[in-house]
Amino acid sequence: TLVAYASEGGTAAALAGDLAQQLEQGGEAVSLLPLNQLSRQQLAVSRRLLIIASTCGDGEAPANGQHFIRRLQHSQRQGQHVVQDVRYAVLALGDDDYPQFCAFGLQLHKQLQQGGAQPMFAPLCVNRLERRSIEQWQQQLAEQGFSVADTAQGCDSAKEELTLEQRLWLNPGSPGAALYELHLSKPQHSHWQAGDIARLWLAGRYRDYSIASLPEENHLRLLVREQHHDNGEPGLGSGWLCQQWQPGSTSLFSVRSNPAFHAPPTAVPLILIGNGTGLAGLRAHLKQRSLQNSQAPCWLLFGERSPEHDRIWQQELDHWYQSGVLTELDRCYSRASGAAELPALCGRSHRGYVQHALQREQKRLRQWLKQDAAIYICGSRDGMASDIDQLLQQWLGKRATERLQQQ
């Protein structure tokens, strides 16, 4: 049996891991892997495929699932029936606050069916990890002869009441929305590492935030920007975190493991690219490198709006550059009106967006990749991240970019 997942923040991966463990304990031979790494040979041998797939953004696939569906579509256009003898089931995770609810999981089901695969039962859509739906998935798997118990344990375990210790407004005067640094008390029952996610639970819903700190710092740090709906109302999570939650009081959180964003080995050169609140996840990796006394090169390329008002964590970044934790440091400011407005900071300062600066640094990027550097991107999916993905495909080729993602 193949258990495959497409996971953005680690939830689908955690559920898939729980499911694979249950099946192995029941005597099944199981392979657990990201959906992108699912090969034609594995499908030909296994015949049974269980998929747990999240939907992110506006109906989009997580990065570790998008190549599988492209390959499936390509093979079908070529008249190749890769999945013809496969029996499958899809658990689609989503949030009905978004218009394209569970769209990627449903797209997988449609594509597999068009390729000749046989569904064991209709795809099951889960709204905000609603437990009853996951229990229905377990029951339907059991009716198909699978040995499963509680595969929902990874969803809502280790919830803890964390105290807000302090909240700092980092960008007064910025042309962008207010940006806050929050220090929360250290969870007592959850360990985390660079790349992991803090999940805020409010009114039966959750919001995910990259963790900017490490347990060694004895607090859980977040970087949150105020969000507002079209009618002016504050966003559920950011409104609470940035305005309503009072220092000294508690809120309910859980920590989500996010293996796809965990650090590579210490000796691997690291390229960190991001913008806005994406600096949170990148900062955790820099802190981890500093604690490890890593000698491997590390390059941060980061973007914000105003060179005057949006110098987020400037002193710490300068210190890491001066001490050698950061080998290269590029800061980009989209609202800088000209070169004269760029501040004299450590490293290089650029006018414009991150993707524009990366274009100017193409030669440097290629040199780093020749040294087997890993690339980590954290920030806005639309614009910055998609543009960088297109640049990498243009420079390296589509297959080479896919290999980087699979690694």
Short mmCIF file of all heavy atoms in Angstrom, two decimals, residues 265-306:
data_model
loop_
_atom_site.label_atom_id
_atom_site.label_comp_id
_atom_site.label_asym_id
_atom_site.label_seq_id
_atom_site.Cartn_x
_atom_site.Cartn_y
_atom_site.Cartn_z
N PRO A 265 21.36 19.19 6.50
CA PRO A 265 22.53 18.97 7.35
C PRO A 265 23.35 20.25 7.51
O PRO A 265 23.38 21.11 6.63
CB PRO A 265 23.32 17.89 6.59
CG PRO A 265 22.28 17.15 5.82
CD PRO A 265 21.26 18.18 5.42
N THR A 266 24.03 20.36 8.65
CA THR A 266 24.74 21.58 9.01
C THR A 266 25.76 22.00 7.96
O THR A 266 26.02 23.19 7.77
CB THR A 266 25.46 21.38 10.36
OG1 THR A 266 24.52 20.86 11.31
CG2 THR A 266 26.01 22.69 10.89
N ALA A 267 26.36 21.03 7.26
CA ALA A 267 27.42 21.35 6.30
C ALA A 267 26.89 21.84 4.96
O ALA A 267 27.68 22.25 4.10
CB ALA A 267 28.30 20.11 6.08
N VAL A 268 25.57 21.81 4.75
CA VAL A 268 24.99 22.20 3.46
C VAL A 268 24.86 23.73 3.39
O VAL A 268 24.27 24.34 4.28
CB VAL A 268 23.61 21.55 3.26
CG1 VAL A 268 22.93 22.08 2.02
CG2 VAL A 268 23.74 20.04 3.19
N PRO A 269 25.38 24.38 2.35
CA PRO A 269 25.16 25.82 2.18
C PRO A 269 23.67 26.13 2.07
O PRO A 269 22.90 25.34 1.50
CB PRO A 269 25.89 26.14 0.86
CG PRO A 269 26.88 25.04 0.70
CD PRO A 269 26.25 23.82 1.29
N LEU A 270 23.26 27.27 2.60
CA LEU A 270 21.84 27.57 2.73
C LEU A 270 21.53 28.92 2.11
O LEU A 270 22.17 29.93 2.44
CB LEU A 270 21.47 27.58 4.23
CG LEU A 270 20.02 27.47 4.63
CD1 LEU A 270 19.35 26.25 4.02
CD2 LEU A 270 19.91 27.43 6.16
N ILE A 271 20.55 28.93 1.19
CA ILE A 271 20.06 30.18 0.59
C ILE A 271 18.65 30.41 1.12
O ILE A 271 17.75 29.60 0.89
CB ILE A 271 20.04 30.09 -0.94
CG1 ILE A 271 21.43 29.79 -1.50
CG2 ILE A 271 19.49 31.39 -1.53
CD1 ILE A 271 21.43 29.50 -3.00
N LEU A 272 18.45 31.50 1.85
CA LEU A 272 17.16 31.83 2.45
C LEU A 272 16.57 33.02 1.72
O LEU A 272 17.18 34.09 1.67
CB LEU A 272 17.33 32.15 3.94
CG LEU A 272 18.01 31.07 4.79
CD1 LEU A 272 18.29 31.60 6.19
CD2 LEU A 272 17.15 29.82 4.86
N ILE A 273 15.38 32.85 1.14
CA ILE A 273 14.74 33.90 0.35
C ILE A 273 13.35 34.16 0.91
O ILE A 273 12.58 33.22 1.12
CB ILE A 273 14.63 33.48 -1.14
CG1 ILE A 273 16.01 33.14 -1.70
CG2 ILE A 273 13.98 34.58 -1.96
CD1 ILE A 273 15.97 32.57 -3.12
N GLY A 274 13.02 35.43 1.14
CA GLY A 274 11.69 35.68 1.68
C GLY A 274 11.30 37.14 1.63
O GLY A 274 12.06 38.01 1.21
N ASN A 275 10.07 37.40 2.07
CA ASN A 275 9.59 38.79 2.21
C ASN A 275 8.56 38.85 3.32
O ASN A 275 8.00 37.83 3.73
CB ASN A 275 9.04 39.32 0.89
CG ASN A 275 7.78 38.62 0.43
OD1 ASN A 275 7.38 37.58 0.96
ND2 ASN A 275 7.13 39.15 -0.60
N GLY A 276 8.34 40.06 3.82
CA GLY A 276 7.32 40.28 4.83
C GLY A 276 7.49 39.40 6.05
O GLY A 276 8.60 39.19 6.55
N THR A 277 6.38 38.84 6.51
CA THR A 277 6.42 37.98 7.70
C THR A 277 7.13 36.67 7.43
O THR A 277 7.38 35.90 8.36
CB THR A 277 5.00 37.70 8.21
OG1 THR A 277 4.23 37.12 7.14
CG2 THR A 277 4.31 38.98 8.67
N GLY A 278 7.48 36.39 6.17
CA GLY A 278 8.28 35.22 5.87
C GLY A 278 9.64 35.24 6.54
O GLY A 278 10.29 34.20 6.65
N LEU A 279 10.07 36.41 7.02
CA LEU A 279 11.35 36.47 7.73
C LEU A 279 11.31 35.62 9.00
O LEU A 279 12.37 35.19 9.49
CB LEU A 279 11.68 37.93 8.07
CG LEU A 279 13.06 38.20 8.67
CD1 LEU A 279 14.17 37.68 7.76
CD2 LEU A 279 13.25 39.69 8.94
N ALA A 280 10.12 35.36 9.53
CA ALA A 280 10.01 34.56 10.75
C ALA A 280 10.64 33.18 10.57
O ALA A 280 11.53 32.77 11.32
CB ALA A 280 8.54 34.43 11.16
N GLY A 281 10.17 32.44 9.56
CA GLY A 281 10.69 31.10 9.34
C GLY A 281 12.17 31.10 8.98
O GLY A 281 12.91 30.16 9.33
N LEU A 282 12.63 32.13 8.30
CA LEU A 282 14.04 32.22 7.92
C LEU A 282 14.91 32.57 9.12
O LEU A 282 16.03 32.07 9.27
CB LEU A 282 14.22 33.26 6.81
CG LEU A 282 13.35 33.05 5.57
CD1 LEU A 282 13.63 34.12 4.53
CD2 LEU A 282 13.54 31.66 4.98
N ARG A 283 14.40 33.42 9.99
CA ARG A 283 15.13 33.80 11.20
C ARG A 283 15.41 32.59 12.07
O ARG A 283 16.49 32.46 12.66
CB ARG A 283 14.33 34.85 11.96
CG ARG A 283 15.07 35.51 13.11
CD ARG A 283 14.71 34.89 14.45
NE ARG A 283 15.54 35.43 15.52
CZ ARG A 283 15.69 34.86 16.70
NH1 ARG A 283 15.09 33.70 16.96
NH2 ARG A 283 16.47 35.39 17.62
N ALA A 284 14.45 31.65 12.17
CA ALA A 284 14.66 30.45 12.97
C ALA A 284 15.83 29.63 12.42
O ALA A 284 16.64 29.08 13.18
CB ALA A 284 13.38 29.61 12.99
N HIS A 285 15.95 29.54 11.10
CA HIS A 285 17.06 28.80 10.50
C HIS A 285 18.39 29.50 10.77
O HIS A 285 19.41 28.84 11.03
CB HIS A 285 16.84 28.64 9.00
CG HIS A 285 15.88 27.54 8.67
ND1 HIS A 285 16.21 26.21 8.81
CD2 HIS A 285 14.61 27.57 8.21
CE1 HIS A 285 15.18 25.46 8.44
NE2 HIS A 285 14.19 26.26 8.09
N LEU A 286 18.40 30.82 10.71
CA LEU A 286 19.63 31.56 11.01
C LEU A 286 20.04 31.37 12.47
O LEU A 286 21.23 31.19 12.78
CB LEU A 286 19.44 33.04 10.70
CG LEU A 286 19.41 33.41 9.22
CD1 LEU A 286 18.94 34.84 9.03
CD2 LEU A 286 20.79 33.21 8.61
N LYS A 287 19.07 31.41 13.37
CA LYS A 287 19.37 31.21 14.78
C LYS A 287 19.93 29.80 15.00
O LYS A 287 20.90 29.62 15.77
CB LYS A 287 18.10 31.41 15.62
CG LYS A 287 18.33 31.29 17.12
CD LYS A 287 19.26 32.38 17.63
CE LYS A 287 19.47 32.28 19.13
NZ LYS A 287 20.39 33.34 19.64
N GLN A 288 19.36 28.82 14.32
CA GLN A 288 19.84 27.44 14.46
C GLN A 288 21.28 27.33 13.97
O GLN A 288 22.12 26.69 14.60
CB GLN A 288 18.93 26.49 13.69
CG GLN A 288 19.29 25.02 13.85
CD GLN A 288 18.18 24.11 13.36
OE1 GLN A 288 17.02 24.28 13.72
NE2 GLN A 288 18.53 23.14 12.54
N ARG A 289 21.59 27.95 12.82
CA ARG A 289 22.96 27.93 12.30
C ARG A 289 23.92 28.61 13.30
O ARG A 289 25.06 28.17 13.48
CB ARG A 289 23.02 28.62 10.94
CG ARG A 289 22.43 27.78 9.80
CD ARG A 289 23.47 26.83 9.25
NE ARG A 289 22.90 25.77 8.46
CZ ARG A 289 23.30 25.45 7.23
NH1 ARG A 289 24.25 26.14 6.64
NH2 ARG A 289 22.76 24.42 6.61
N SER A 290 23.48 29.69 13.93
CA SER A 290 24.36 30.39 14.87
C SER A 290 24.65 29.52 16.09
O SER A 290 25.78 29.51 16.60
CB SER A 290 23.73 31.72 15.29
OG SER A 290 22.63 31.54 16.15
N LEU A 291 23.65 28.79 16.57
CA LEU A 291 23.86 27.92 17.73
C LEU A 291 24.73 26.72 17.37
O LEU A 291 25.44 26.19 18.23
CB LEU A 291 22.51 27.44 18.27
CG LEU A 291 21.61 28.53 18.88
CD1 LEU A 291 20.29 27.93 19.34
CD2 LEU A 291 22.31 29.22 20.05
N GLN A 292 24.67 26.27 16.12
CA GLN A 292 25.47 25.13 15.69
C GLN A 292 26.91 25.52 15.36
O GLN A 292 27.74 24.64 15.11
CB GLN A 292 24.84 24.50 14.43
CG GLN A 292 23.49 23.85 14.66
CD GLN A 292 22.80 23.49 13.35
OE1 GLN A 292 23.06 24.08 12.31
NE2 GLN A 292 21.91 22.51 13.41
N ASN A 293 27.20 26.83 15.34
CA ASN A 293 28.51 27.31 14.90
C ASN A 293 28.86 26.74 13.53
O ASN A 293 29.99 26.32 13.28
CB ASN A 293 29.59 26.96 15.92
CG ASN A 293 29.41 27.73 17.22
OD1 ASN A 293 29.14 28.92 17.20
ND2 ASN A 293 29.53 27.03 18.33
N SER A 294 27.86 26.69 12.65
CA SER A 294 28.06 26.12 11.32
C SER A 294 29.06 26.96 10.52
O SER A 294 29.03 28.19 10.54
CB SER A 294 26.73 26.07 10.57
OG SER A 294 26.92 25.72 9.21
N GLN A 295 29.95 26.26 9.82
CA GLN A 295 30.92 26.93 8.95
C GLN A 295 30.43 27.00 7.50
O GLN A 295 31.11 27.57 6.65
CB GLN A 295 32.27 26.20 9.01
CG GLN A 295 32.86 26.12 10.40
CD GLN A 295 33.08 27.49 11.02
OE1 GLN A 295 33.72 28.35 10.41
NE2 GLN A 295 32.54 27.72 12.21
N ALA A 296 29.27 26.40 7.23
CA ALA A 296 28.75 26.40 5.86
C ALA A 296 28.24 27.79 5.49
O ALA A 296 27.69 28.51 6.33
CB ALA A 296 27.62 25.38 5.72
N PRO A 297 28.41 28.19 4.23
CA PRO A 297 27.93 29.51 3.81
C PRO A 297 26.41 29.63 3.96
O PRO A 297 25.68 28.66 3.81
CB PRO A 297 28.34 29.58 2.33
CG PRO A 297 29.38 28.55 2.15
CD PRO A 297 29.08 27.47 3.14
N CYS A 298 25.97 30.85 4.26
CA CYS A 298 24.52 31.11 4.40
C CYS A 298 24.23 32.48 3.81
O CYS A 298 24.94 33.46 4.07
CB CYS A 298 24.14 31.07 5.88
SG CYS A 298 22.36 31.10 6.17
N TRP A 299 23.18 32.54 2.99
CA TRP A 299 22.83 33.76 2.25
C TRP A 299 21.36 34.07 2.50
O TRP A 299 20.49 33.23 2.26
CB TRP A 299 23.10 33.53 0.76
CG TRP A 299 22.74 34.64 -0.18
CD1 TRP A 299 22.37 35.91 0.12
CD2 TRP A 299 22.72 34.56 -1.61
NE1 TRP A 299 22.12 36.63 -1.02
CE2 TRP A 299 22.33 35.83 -2.10
CE3 TRP A 299 22.99 33.53 -2.52
CZ2 TRP A 299 22.19 36.09 -3.46
CZ3 TRP A 299 22.86 33.79 -3.88
CH2 TRP A 299 22.47 35.06 -4.33
N LEU A 300 21.10 35.28 2.99
CA LEU A 300 19.72 35.75 3.17
C LEU A 300 19.42 36.84 2.16
O LEU A 300 20.14 37.84 2.07
CB LEU A 300 19.52 36.30 4.59
CG LEU A 300 18.15 36.97 4.85
CD1 LEU A 300 17.02 35.95 4.77
CD2 LEU A 300 18.13 37.67 6.21
N LEU A 301 18.33 36.66 1.41
CA LEU A 301 17.84 37.66 0.46
C LEU A 301 16.39 37.93 0.84
O LEU A 301 15.54 37.05 0.71
CB LEU A 301 17.96 37.13 -0.97
CG LEU A 301 17.94 38.17 -2.09
CD1 LEU A 301 18.68 37.66 -3.31
CD2 LEU A 301 16.51 38.52 -2.48
N PHE A 302 16.13 39.15 1.34
CA PHE A 302 14.86 39.42 1.99
C PHE A 302 14.30 40.77 1.55
O PHE A 302 15.05 41.71 1.32
CB PHE A 302 15.07 39.41 3.50
CG PHE A 302 13.89 39.91 4.28
CD1 PHE A 302 12.74 39.13 4.38
CD2 PHE A 302 13.90 41.15 4.89
CE1 PHE A 302 11.64 39.60 5.07
CE2 PHE A 302 12.80 41.62 5.59
CZ PHE A 302 11.67 40.84 5.68
N GLY A 303 12.96 40.87 1.43
CA GLY A 303 12.33 42.09 0.96
C GLY A 303 11.28 42.65 1.90
O GLY A 303 10.54 41.90 2.54
N GLU A 304 11.22 43.97 1.97
CA GLU A 304 10.17 44.70 2.69
C GLU A 304 9.81 45.96 1.90
O GLU A 304 10.28 46.12 0.76
CB GLU A 304 10.62 45.03 4.12
CG GLU A 304 9.91 44.21 5.20
CD GLU A 304 8.41 44.46 5.28
OE1 GLU A 304 7.91 45.40 4.64
OE2 GLU A 304 7.73 43.69 5.98
N ARG A 305 9.03 46.84 2.48
CA ARG A 305 8.54 48.00 1.74
C ARG A 305 9.48 49.20 1.87
O ARG A 305 10.15 49.60 0.93
CB ARG A 305 7.14 48.37 2.23
CG ARG A 305 6.07 47.37 1.79
CD ARG A 305 4.73 47.72 2.41
NE ARG A 305 3.65 46.88 1.92
CZ ARG A 305 3.39 45.66 2.35
NH1 ARG A 305 4.15 45.12 3.31
NH2 ARG A 305 2.39 44.95 1.87
N SER A 306 9.50 49.81 3.06
CA SER A 306 10.17 51.10 3.23
C SER A 306 11.56 50.92 3.84
O SER A 306 11.70 50.28 4.89
CB SER A 306 9.34 52.00 4.15
OG SER A 306 10.10 53.08 4.63
#
